Amino acid sequence: MTRKTTIKDFSRPGGQVAEIDSADLMPLPPPYDQIAKPPIRKLTEDQLRRMDASLDGVAAIGIALPATPEEEKIFIEKFLAGLEKLFTAENNWTFLQPLVHTLEYCVKCQICSDACPTYLASGRQDIYRPTMRAEILRRIISTYIKKENPLLRKFKASDIQLNAQTIIRLGELAYRCTLCRRCAQVCLLGCDNALITREIRKIFSQQMGIAPKEIHEKGSVHQIKVGSSTGMTPPALTNILEFIEEEIEEKTGKKIKIPVDKKGAEILLLHNAGEFIAWPENLEAFAILFDAAGIDWTISSDLAGYDAVNYGVWYDDVQFARVALLHAQAAKKLGVRKISLGECGHAHKAMIVIADRILTGDLNIPRESAIPLMEEIVLSGKIKLDPSRNNFPVTLHDPCNMVRLMGIVQPQRRILEKICPQFREMTPHGVENYCCGGGSGFAITQSTNFPDWRSSVSGRMKLKQTLDAFQDVPGPEIKKYVCAPCSNCKGQYREMFNYYDVWKKSGIFYGGLVELIVNAMTDLKEPFIQWEWH
């Protein structure tokens, strides 16, 4: 049932705006419909004293209520100052035009709501409509920035009570959207409510100094200071690469050296450093494939040069620019002809799309996705492939930032159709795909009870899609593979599959695209894919 929420509810001090009732959540297919729905843990009394969770009982940022009226006044003034800056070309030249368009032209038709996986999976909770954040922001602007006549506000329904709790709820609500932009895709007027979400996050970070620790302190800041969001320093990179090279030799019998800091290489592979630690088989597969195909490539050992992560794309223009410049400078230093992005969706968005706003002159180095390159290798006949090595059920998850944002739709499908005899599509797929539920930083956010919400709500639609794709082979006795060519999406799959015990119940494994290619190579004596749960 739809849970109604009004603007008055949102800005009323005290109480909780929305309640997540497990009975209202979108049903899952068997056997997941027969088990008790996973609860979202209640915050402890200590947590509730330290942070406001009055939006929906969940805390992603964990903002404390101001202790005094004076502190609340300063808190509100900071927020309004940041909001005003969004509408000046000097402070927001990057996104000003689409922001204004979205706020001015939305007619609240709610077509976007029916496209939003979080809204649908939640049981149509009003609070999660894509238009809700925009409407709250619109009313705050009308009442406190434009300061329209109170009588006009009455007829325009612009009135809203601005207090610390309203602002905190809006900040939390900005972290209930994965920025998948499915809403923007279906809008007949070109409004982008995901951009509204991102700009709200920007106010909190750039003006108020508030962001989830996993994204800011442990993410962007760590990457700029240490070299990687994982904490892996450049010296540690050497040790990890030696381990990966040993793994390659053990699996293939070949000694393949991963080229580091090779001057004048054709390609600098920007790879998500999380894979070095969590899924080293992905980089192993790239090394094996590139070696077999004779690709002239390298990785950089420079600060941030070996980590394609750029968390700033989710919440902060300044942090984004700092990291993007480090990536471009690493490529310039090596004199490579182009940058190729590995299997990481948000890195694609950051470095190939958004970085065009800041990379100029000799830093505007050609940048492209590695997926079309993999297609070229597979279809060229440079390497011999045996599809029977991948003769198990395979489906494909479409990472939002590669597919919907960038239009990289067919290369990965042509690869899978050639090397996977039992490939089947999810419904829907391609540009109409549903987000994994871990986008915009969700997959790495482990604060309080947010992981429960992420698996129960934002990832619910993707879990259902994945299970539906294998409905003809539902049991664990037949091993199945969901191809997720994105590090962030794999992180979400890992957390979600663990949450629901999917490996034990359904026998579904997750992994990248390049691993499937290498698994099909005829000159490998043993299978590359190891059916072991991460």
Side-chain angles (χ1 to χ4, degrees):
M1 60 179 289
T2 302
R3 297 279 179 170
K4 294 292 184 183
T5 302
T6 67
I7 300 299
K8 283 187 177 180
D9 294 332
F10 195 90
S11 61
R12 186 181 294 119
Q16 189 170 301
V17 177
E19 190 77 35
I20 308 299
D21 188 338
S22 60
D24 290 338
L25 298 179
M26 180 186 69
L28 293 172
Y32 302 89
D33 60 337
Q34 301 299 322
I35 60 175
K37 293 181 174 64
I40 297 175
R41 287 168 291 161
K42 299 289 185 183
L43 295 178
T44 66
E45 290 298 321
D46 178 60
Q47 288 172 327
L48 290 172
R49 280 192 293 269
R50 291 186 289 108
M51 60 190 72
D52 184 87
S54 64
L55 174 70
D56 54 6
V58 178
I61 320 177
I63 307 173
L65 280 167
T68 65
E70 290 75 17
E71 287 183 8
E72 181 173 30
K73 183 174 182 291
I74 294 170
F75 187 80
I76 294 170
E77 287 173 350
K78 277 187 177 180
F79 173 79
L80 290 175
L83 183 56
E84 285 195 87
K85 286 180 181 178
L86 288 185
F87 298 97
T88 63
E90 177 185 4
N91 290 292
N92 198 22
W93 57 269
T94 49
F95 299 109
L96 178 59
Q97 186 175 9
L99 173 64
V100 171
H101 174 87
T102 300
L103 287 169
E104 293 289 336
Y105 289 93
C106 174
V107 295
K108 307 176 191 65
C109 66
Q110 302 305 335
I111 289 175
C112 60
S113 294
D114 287 332
C116 175
T118 298
Y119 171 71
L120 296 176
S122 72
R124 298 177 179 269
Q125 284 262 9
D126 247 6
I127 200 73
Y128 300 139
R129 288 185 185 274
T131 53
M132 180 62 78
R133 292 171 291 273
E135 183 59 21
I136 292 164
L137 199 66
R138 195 176 289 114
R139 295 190 186 200
I140 292 173
I141 292 165
S142 176
T143 306
Y144 294 92
I145 302 297
K146 292 182 178 179
K147 297 180 180 177
E148 294 177 341
N149 184 290
L151 190 59
L152 290 176
R153 292 203 300 270
K154 180 179 179 181
F155 290 105
K156 292 179 67 176
S158 298
D159 221 0
I160 190 169
Q161 183 180 352
L162 193 60
N163 51 57
Q165 211 161 28
T166 304
I167 295 170
I168 291 172
R169 287 167 180 165
L170 183 60
E172 281 289 344
L173 192 55
Y175 286 91
R176 300 296 185 273
C177 165
T178 63
L179 306 183
C180 77
R181 299 181 72 247
R182 208 169 186 270
C183 56
Q185 177 178 293
V186 300
C187 181
L188 302 176
L189 297 175
C191 296
D192 189 348
N193 282 304
L195 175 64
I196 298 289
T197 298
R198 200 267 181 182
E199 295 298 274
I200 293 171
R201 294 182 182 190
K202 189 163 76 179
I203 296 173
F204 276 81
S205 180
Q206 294 184 196
Q207 186 68 29
M208 305 173 75
I210 298 171
K213 288 184 179 180
E214 295 90 343
I215 295 175
H216 182 65
E217 291 178 28
K218 297 179 181 179
S220 295
V221 173
H222 216 55
Q223 185 177 13
I224 293 166
K225 289 184 176 180
V226 178
S228 167
S229 59
T230 64
M232 182 172 67
T233 61
L237 175 67
T238 302
N239 294 330
I240 292 174
L241 291 181
E242 287 177 358
F243 166 78
I244 289 175
E245 289 167 355
E246 289 171 4
E247 285 274 298
I248 292 173
E249 185 175 5
E250 185 178 320
K251 291 178 180 178
T252 68
K254 294 182 178 180
K255 287 190 175 182
I256 296 175
K257 188 72 176 174
I258 295 174
V260 180
D261 295 332
K262 181 181 178 182
K263 297 273 188 177
E266 175 76 14
I267 289 171
L268 168 64
L269 181 67
L270 269 181
H271 205 269
N272 188 314
E275 309 250 355
F276 288 73
I277 299 169
W279 304 287
E281 63 271 16
N282 189 263
L283 183 58
E284 291 170 17
F286 267 107
I288 294 168
L289 180 66
F290 284 1
D291 178 74
I295 302 297
D296 181 19
W297 70 293
T298 189
I299 62 173
S300 168
S301 67
D302 267 11
L303 190 69
Y306 53 90
D307 188 358
V309 159
N310 190 339
Y311 292 167
V313 76
W314 296 325
Y315 77 106
D316 190 302
D317 287 349
V318 176
Q319 293 299 100
F320 166 81
R322 287 170 175 161
V323 175
L325 286 170
L326 286 175
H327 286 153
Q329 287 162 357
K332 178 186 174 184
K333 179 179 177 181
L334 292 176
V336 297
R337 292 188 61 185
K338 59 186 175 183
I339 297 170
S340 185
L341 276 296
E343 296 186 14
C344 179
H346 93 268
H348 275 63
K349 177 179 182 178
M351 198 57 183
I352 300 177
V353 180
I354 308 299
D356 269 346
R357 290 164 167 77
I358 62 165
L359 298 182
T360 59
D362 58 2
L363 288 179
N364 191 18
I365 297 162
R367 307 176 298 281
E368 63 181 31
S369 170
I371 292 182
L373 174 60
M374 287 190 274
E375 180 198 16
E376 180 185 337
I377 294 170
V378 168
L379 300 186
S380 68
K382 289 181 180 178
I383 57 175
K384 292 183 179 180
L385 300 166
D386 179 5
S388 68
R389 293 180 173 229
N390 289 332
N391 195 16
F392 42 82
V394 175
T395 193
L396 174 66
H397 162 64
D398 290 294
C400 300
N401 289 315
M402 294 180 186
V403 180
R404 183 163 31 257
L405 175 64
M406 296 179 62
I408 303 173
V409 181
Q410 294 306 322
Q412 58 270 46
R413 286 175 163 78
R414 286 190 282 264
I415 292 171
L416 293 176
E417 286 165 0
K418 182 175 178 63
I419 66 173
C420 298
Q422 297 188 56
F423 170 60
R424 74 278 305 280
E425 292 277 15
M426 291 186 185
T427 302
H429 55 264
V431 296
E432 295 181 354
N433 82 90
Y434 285 112
C435 178
C436 67
S440 79
F442 285 13
I444 59 169
T445 302
Q446 303 296 333
S447 300
T448 63
N449 60 351
F450 183 78
D452 291 347
W453 183 90
R454 181 186 62 218
S455 292
S456 293
V457 182
S458 71
R460 197 176 192 85
M461 184 66 80
K462 181 52 63 177
L463 176 63
K464 183 179 185 301
Q465 271 194 295
T466 304
L467 296 172
D468 285 347
F470 297 122
Q471 59 185 324
D472 58 326
V473 283
E477 63 279 357
I478 296 178
K479 300 300 182 280
K480 300 165 279 288
Y481 190 102
V482 53
C483 176
C486 169
S487 180
N488 201 68
C489 298
K490 284 193 293 190
Q492 166 67 354
Y493 264 113
R494 176 185 58 198
E495 300 298 316
M496 186 165 57
F497 278 15
N498 283 333
Y499 191 81
Y500 289 98
D501 205 10
V502 172
W503 174 246
K504 183 178 179 181
K505 290 185 173 72
S506 302
I508 304 175
F509 190 76
Y510 68 91
L513 176 63
V514 67
E515 293 97 306
L516 284 169
I517 299 172
V518 172
N519 198 60
M521 290 174 59
T522 58
D523 60 349
L524 265 66
K525 294 180 180 180
E526 300 293 329
F528 182 77
I529 293 175
Q530 304 295 315
W531 296 93
E532 298 172 1
W533 190 245
H534 289 273

